[in-house]
Amino acid sequence: MSYELTYKPFGERSVLIEWPLGIDENILSDIIVFKEKIKTKNIKGIVELRSSYNSLLVIYDFVIDTFEDVVFILNQLYLRKKQDINFSPKQWKIPVCYEDTFAIDLKEMATEKGISQESIIKMHSSRVYTVYFIGFLPGFMYLGGLNEKLYTPRKSTPRLKVLKGTVAIGGGQTGIYPSESPGGWNIIGNSPVEFFNPQKELPCFANAGDKIVFKPISLKEYKDIKTLVDAGVYQLESEVIDD
Amino acid sequence: MIRVLKTGLYSSIQDLGRHGYQDYGVPYSGVMDVYSASIANILLGNDVHAAVIEITMTGPILEFNCETSICISGADISPKINGTSIKLNKPILVKSGDVVSFGKLVSGFRSYLAVLGGFKTENVMNSYSMYQGITKQSTLFKNDELLIDTSLKGLGMKHAAIKVIKGHTTNQIEVFKGPEFYKLTKAQQDILVTQGFTISKENNRMAYQLNEPLANNLESIITSSVLPGTVQLTPSGKLIILMRDCQTTGGYPRVLQLKEASINILAQKFTGNTIYFNLM
């Protein structure tokens, strides 16, 4: 499937490629395929490729004087048939403890929605989420796929400090805070897993296009996993998704 | 080794930034004024990528425990060695026991102290740039010991003098249209690129907010990439110019994009200074 793309200059050295507006899995996979094509082609001067919901930012190491030429090359590549794209998304199983010590907004959410806490946990942990991209904070995954019944407005006043590993819902999104930070989302749990490690060659395990499922764990399991994570020996469960 | 006796207002180690990790949400960081930091390195004969100390408004006090040479460029914060004034943009020999200090801010906002061979502090993801959550420290602390290559001695300079451009103090900020510029009305576009804007007290390595709002009814965009030098327009009409430590993505319309040289110029401005966006 090919979309009508828009190419815009972004400063002196970048081209912003935009897809039609919307949060959509087909757009995401089209972006990923185009990104991989550009990577595989090894176009001289491209130093960075960054994707988000409906855009791909291509950054060059030189000042672009003939924008049309650069766009022509990119668009030719876009229109070329998909071939030899080495992309195999993975599904990651993320343990989350939804118990009261962590889930400080769960009770209020349950009361307001008229849904039991157990049902909220079940709804949250029975979906397969899609990683659209990583941004906001190092290692923060933008996830799509939240059950509409769980949509909850952000807190009117953000908390100054949200714990590392916090699992929360903000509007129609759910996510995990990879490090301690201020935050306005509704907190429903915590994951002991490390989502960002600057010391590793691959600082994040997940990439755009991967899938995430949340697996409820007890406080005891949380502590056990945390110990393994801190010791650097915890192995996250994952499987390659077959198309 | 160099010991930090006093930190100054906000001093940190920076190089040209952390590149290649933006798809993991990692900010670039790096020196706010690439031009001035590069001048300091080049005058010493260093690679421009060498790590320097970025000094903001008020200088640190540094005690040198080795012989080396330094060069200070950018803002004039009245630098001194053992109490005697030294010149900017000139390589200077420093002996063991010497103390480098700073005084009154005369011009600019950020000064760069380069040392022969560059600072060899913690390197994470191919950069020495300090950033909270990536490196252990985000600023210098009192009593920090900053490592340098002590095998390099004397004046390693290759360039006796470089003429520093005067245009670096202009208040004309050259910009391109941002991806959402076309969503503004003609009247809004005109105001944006003709009116003067003053820098608010909310200005730091992450962003500079401007005081004068631009009335608008633009909605937020679907979260997309932003760059240092991106000018965002919030729903309340507040203009925010993103700087080196900015996030990798944002949800506000991107109305302008600063020319790279203009980010360096803006880095030397501070609260109350007026700027004009000059559309290229």
Side-chain angles (χ1 to χ4, degrees):
Chain A
M1 182 175 189
S2 91
Y3 292 87
E4 192 68 43
L5 304 187
T6 313
Y7 293 86
K8 287 179 190 167
F10 196 177
E12 292 139 296
R13 297 190 293 117
S14 313
V15 178
L16 183 71
I17 309 171
E18 290 180 322
W19 275 254
L21 277 182
I23 298 174
D24 180 309
E25 294 238 7
N26 294 320
I27 291 176
L28 175 68
S29 57
D30 200 54
I31 293 175
I32 291 169
V33 168
F34 192 15
K35 193 175 172 184
E36 287 302 313
K37 276 187 190 172
I38 298 173
K39 266 191 203 164
T40 317
K41 183 81 181 165
N42 244 325
I43 300 175
K44 201 165 173 266
I46 293 181
V47 287
E48 200 184 312
L49 287 167
R50 244 203 265 173
S51 60
S52 63
Y53 285 122
N54 63 337
S55 75
L56 180 61
L57 183 66
V58 185
I59 306 182
Y60 294 81
D61 65 0
F62 55 81
V63 171
I64 301 166
D65 349 277
T66 43
F67 183 70
E68 295 72 21
D69 291 354
V70 170
V71 168
F72 180 79
I73 294 167
L74 290 172
N75 204 45
Q76 285 296 104
L77 192 56
Y78 177 67
L79 297 173
R80 193 185 294 175
K81 286 221 159 37
K82 182 175 165 176
Q83 50 181 337
D84 300 333
I85 299 301
N86 187 15
F87 177 70
S88 37
K90 283 183 176 162
Q91 177 160 306
W92 301 92
K93 207 180 265 183
I94 309 291
V96 175
C97 179
Y98 293 94
E99 292 193 28
D100 295 352
T101 38
F102 295 121
I104 48 182
D105 294 321
L106 189 55
K107 202 175 208 168
E108 196 181 309
M109 267 178 68
T111 313
E112 276 179 14
K113 292 185 182 302
I115 310 174
S116 72
Q117 293 188 40
E118 294 70 29
S119 301
I120 292 179
I121 294 166
K122 192 147 186 244
M123 285 179 198
H124 191 257
S125 58
S126 59
R127 281 282 174 114
V128 178
Y129 299 93
T130 302
V131 180
Y132 277 86
F133 62 99
I134 296 168
F136 170 50
L137 286 170
F140 185 90
M141 298 180 284
Y142 279 81
L143 300 177
L146 182 69
N147 186 325
E148 279 182 35
K149 286 181 189 148
L150 296 183
Y151 287 13
T152 315
R154 289 167 179 81
K155 300 243 140 205
S156 49
T157 325
R159 289 187 173 90
L160 292 175
K161 209 194 231 180
V162 167
L163 286 182
K164 178 181 173 177
T166 289
V167 177
I169 289 173
Q173 299 189 81
T174 186
I176 312 138
Y177 288 84
S179 55
E180 190 181 286
S181 90
W185 289 17
N186 302 276
I187 299 171
I188 60 165
N190 193 290
S191 173
V193 172
E194 194 151 61
F195 293 89
F196 178 78
N197 184 342
Q199 304 298 340
K200 285 196 176 156
E201 202 191 323
L202 284 177
C204 305
F205 54 82
N207 283 303
D210 281 359
K211 304 283 180 186
I212 296 281
V213 288
F214 296 120
K215 179 186 160 205
I217 53 167
S218 68
L219 200 53
K220 163 86 174 63
E221 286 171 293
Y222 179 92
K223 284 176 180 158
D224 291 346
I225 295 174
K226 183 94 178 114
T227 308
L228 296 175
V229 169
D230 291 344
V233 294
Y234 182 71
Q235 201 63 42
L236 200 60
E237 280 181 64
S238 74
E239 55 190 69
V240 175
I241 305 161
D242 289 326
D243 282 334
Chain B
M1 186 268 279
I2 298 165
R3 184 185 297 277
V4 178
L5 300 183
K6 223 178 139 193
T7 61
L9 177 73
Y10 192 100
S11 306
S12 65
I13 300 287
Q14 299 290 337
D15 56 18
L16 294 186
R18 198 163 271 116
H19 296 262
Y21 298 94
Q22 281 57 50
D23 236 4
Y24 297 116
V26 178
Y28 292 109
S29 302
V31 288
M32 289 282 275
D33 177 357
V34 172
Y35 174 75
S36 298
S38 301
I39 291 282
N41 272 324
I42 290 166
L43 286 170
L44 279 177
N46 281 350
D47 190 314
V48 288
H49 295 272
V52 299
I53 303 181
E54 180 177 274
I55 296 157
T56 312
M57 197 166 81
T58 309
I61 300 177
L62 307 166
E63 182 188 71
F64 285 69
N65 295 314
C66 55
E67 188 187 309
T68 183
S69 46
I70 61 166
C71 184
I72 300 168
S73 294
D76 182 356
I77 319 183
S78 312
K80 298 175 183 73
I81 289 187
N82 303 327
T84 307
S85 292
I86 53 172
K87 282 193 172 148
L88 290 177
N89 304 312
K90 190 176 179 298
I92 289 161
L93 200 67
V94 181
K95 293 188 291 297
S96 186
D98 281 354
V99 173
V100 170
S101 63
F102 293 82
K104 198 171 162 258
L105 177 71
V106 179
S107 69
F109 193 53
R110 291 184 169 90
S111 202
Y112 294 90
L113 186 150
V115 64
L116 192 63
F119 288 92
K120 305 287 179 206
T121 51
E122 189 192 9
N123 186 313
V124 184
M125 295 172 156
N126 306 319
S127 171
Y128 291 98
S129 289
M130 290 182 165
Y131 182 83
Q132 193 169 15
I134 303 285
T135 51
K136 288 191 193 81
Q137 282 179 232
S138 53
T139 60
L140 296 185
F141 295 140
K142 191 178 171 176
N143 291 326
D144 274 351
E145 294 179 349
L146 309 174
L147 297 181
I148 61 167
D149 187 346
T150 47
S151 68
L152 302 170
K153 284 205 174 65
L155 293 168
M157 59 183 182
K158 283 186 186 143
H159 307 274
I162 280 185
K163 199 165 184 249
V164 178
I165 51 166
K166 286 246 162 52
H168 208 52
T169 54
T170 178
N171 57 9
Q172 299 293 318
I173 301 294
E174 297 184 322
V175 291
F176 302 97
K177 291 171 184 170
E180 280 77 50
F181 182 80
Y182 69 96
K183 288 190 176 174
L184 298 170
T185 64
K186 180 75 175 65
Q188 288 170 324
Q189 292 177 353
D190 286 346
I191 293 170
L192 191 59
V193 296
T194 52
Q195 192 192 292
F197 291 93
T198 56
I199 293 161
S200 82
K201 62 182 193 325
E202 302 296 324
N203 67 84
N204 54 38
R205 287 188 44 88
M206 197 177 263
Y208 277 38
Q209 290 189 20
L210 303 178
N211 284 319
E212 299 74 12
L214 180 73
N216 82 100
N217 46 16
L218 290 192
E219 284 178 18
S220 293
I221 57 168
I222 294 181
T223 304
S224 182
S225 294
V226 293
L227 293 167
T230 300
V231 182
Q232 295 181 312
L233 180 61
T234 69
S236 66
K238 194 182 285 272
L239 289 158
I240 300 171
I241 310 175
L242 300 180
M243 296 300 272
R244 307 289 179 189
D245 275 352
C246 71
Q247 296 172 193
T248 56
T249 57
Y252 295 134
R254 302 155 291 184
V255 291
L256 297 172
Q257 178 63 36
L258 267 62
K259 197 177 166 189
E260 288 178 34
S262 287
I263 304 175
N264 303 330
I265 291 167
L266 187 62
Q268 294 298 352
K269 308 271 181 236
F270 53 98
T271 313
N273 286 169
T274 303
I275 55 164
Y276 295 86
F277 293 120
N278 195 346
L279 195 60
M280 300 297 288

